[in-house]
Amino acid sequence: MKEFILIFRHEDGHKVASPEQIQIWMKQTMDWVGGIAAQNKFVEGNGLPFDDSRVVWHNNVVTNGPFGDIKETIGGYIIVKANSVDEAVEFAKGSPVLQGDGNSVEVRQIAQRDSIH
Amino acid sequence: MKQPELIPHLFRTEFRKITAVLCKLFGIAHIEIAEDIASETFLRAIETWPYKGIPENPTAWLYTVAKNKAKNYIRRDQVFTGKIASQIKHTLSGIEEIEIDLSEQNITDSQLQMLFTICHPSISTEAQIGLALRILCGFGIDEIANALLTNKETINKRLFRAKDKLRTEKVKIEFPGAAEINKRLETVLTTLYLLFNEGYYSESRDTVLREDLCLEAMRLTYLLAENEHTSKPVVYALLSLMCFQSSRFEARKNANGEMILYQDQDETLWDQELISKGMYFLNISAQGDKISKYHLEASIAYWHTIKEDTHEKWENILQLFNQLLQIEYSPIAALNRTYALSKANGKAAAIIEAEKLGLTDNHFYFTLLGELYKGIDDDKARKNFQKALSLAKTQTDKQTIQKKIDIL
Amino acid sequence: MKDFLLIYRMNYDAIPVGTPEQMAAMTKRWMDWIAEIAAKNKLADRGNRLATSGKVVRADNVVTNGPYTEIKESIGGYSMVKAGSYDEAIELAKGCPILSVGGNVEVREVSVL
């Protein structure tokens, strides 16, 4: 079994949702993650709030997010167990993030755990 | 209390106290000596009391005899005195001065320190449970074998090996230091949780014994909660879970010992006092910043104490299971989560999720699928129930499933 | 103390292929850097390196090969650090070896899902 990270990419981190909308997304996300965990395929996951995010560059330059010339922002990620990238993609398809216009989920295999990045 | 009941009663409550205190004094290497002295003390009571009558204060009598036997042992056994008692001597300047402290405080501390010793990561969980039952709960080997559905020989071997391991590992009888207490406490709580579950879910026909197991697990958890070293939110969470579960003890089985499912239970049989205790402990457990699986399971158990079927109830249970599964997967949690999903999000959504679980060697899985298909596709419901029936092992499970097929 | 995710990004197509000695030297710099954070007891999770290829899933089940075609930069890996504030996490990120080869580190506070 391999591990894959599913990265939630929001087209525009500046968009503000209503509290009600956020609550619906929260439930959908928890149900989606719970469903993966119920198959014993969940490893870990975290949300990444947009506020205060920063990017550190060469020569100690620090900029505010969103990042560079794109508005796209990462909203969170989960790591899943899957036998293939296709199985991981199937999990990704259920992500409530995809309901947002222009949003996407990036699926990347985690390299063998070693001492470097 | 009459004499015939008095000695077994005292054995159950005092044997473990004497053993823990003596073992703490002698060190884990001499655990059998501690047990022997405690046993001999009770033997003396059985021999003496019928002729001389029951002493005015039976417990104090037992403690005096145990103390004398312990002192005699130290004096008599040269090897023991030379090698082991030197430490005791060193600190207490002479055998005559040995203080065998059977005060309430020392009994509690010794028992808790023994609990940490017994729940040492070097020995298997099943051996931990066996040792806890023997040393900390005062269960006889027969009772342990009966409760764990195995035989005397297996238990004896298991306990022997475990004690041997504790000896070779030179495990100290003490509270772990601040740096490792949380990690060690985790093992202790796992053992207590399993001990409780042995009692709660046991197939053993002996209801009294099963209840005793639960009560002992609760007693030890309560001791942890009361002690300054171990009074942590996670301990209260486990205690809360045990209270909520125990509150349904009476309602879970009918007169024939058959299991009554939650939705069919008579809630007037639920123990309201235990439910309010559970809520009290759950509140205390919320003080920490870490949510353990016991917090989540206790909260799930809390919602189950509300019989009324509301959307709020099932939505909360679903979210708690979603969180629980992220911390620790188990097939039973996956199935319960899917049941909660059917209550909160509807059967159609739950069927899709259930089919993905693929727990095809588990009769509960097919029972759940049967339940979900009921009223949507009764033919599929029947097929799933029949599959469940073919996989079920115990008579109780088979009866429960057969009833479901019959009413389809 | 909060958890912060450090996301390592760079244009992986632009990495010059180094000699084995250069690669080993880079590996050592990474290890030293991570070890330094760990020695301060600020490392929550060493994290992972990600394989360079991947997929992107969009609405309506559109799946493309990724990571990302429209931007040159992609995520190479991540670590989790413990810090009292954003500023402290940023200070930790400033030591990352990726910065010397044209990459950057995104610093994000973590919230439990």
Side-chain angles (χ1 to χ4, degrees), chain C residues 63-109:
Chain C
V63 182
T64 53
N65 285 327
Y68 265 70
T69 44
E70 65 268 43
I71 44 170
K72 285 186 236 112
E73 227 171 56
S74 91
I75 299 175
Y78 64 91
S79 302
M80 191 92 78
V81 297
K82 293 181 274 189
S85 65
Y86 246 109
D87 289 339
E88 194 192 338
I90 287 165
E91 282 310 308
L92 291 173
K94 282 178 180 171
C96 181
I98 206 170
L99 301 176
S100 65
V101 289
N104 61 66
V105 181
E106 180 178 335
V107 183
R108 299 288 295 275
E109 188 179 341

Side-chain angles (χ1 to χ4, degrees), chain A residues 27 30-31 33-35 37-40 42, chain B residues 315 318-319 322 326 329 334 337 345 353 357:
Chain A
K27 169 173 164 56
M30 286 305 292
D31 287 354
V33 173
Q39 298 171 57
N40 201 11
F42 175 83
Chain B
E315 180 58 32
L318 170 63
Q319 294 311 331
N322 282 341
Q326 289 175 47
Y329 168 84
R337 183 254 175 196
N345 295 6
E353 293 278 293
L357 298 182

Side-chain angles (χ1 to χ4, degrees), chain B residues 287-302:
Chain B
Q287 283 164 1
D289 51 5
K290 197 174 167 286
I291 296 179
S292 68
K293 70 170 188 163
Y294 305 118
H295 284 91
L296 295 168
E297 288 194 35
S299 305
I300 290 166
Y302 159 74

Side-chain angles (χ1 to χ4, degrees), chain B residues 181-194:
Chain B
I181 189 124
N182 284 330
K183 212 168 173 332
R184 292 288 303 279
L185 192 57
E186 222 173 274
T187 322
V188 169
L189 294 181
T190 303
T191 304
L192 293 177
Y193 175 74
L194 293 173

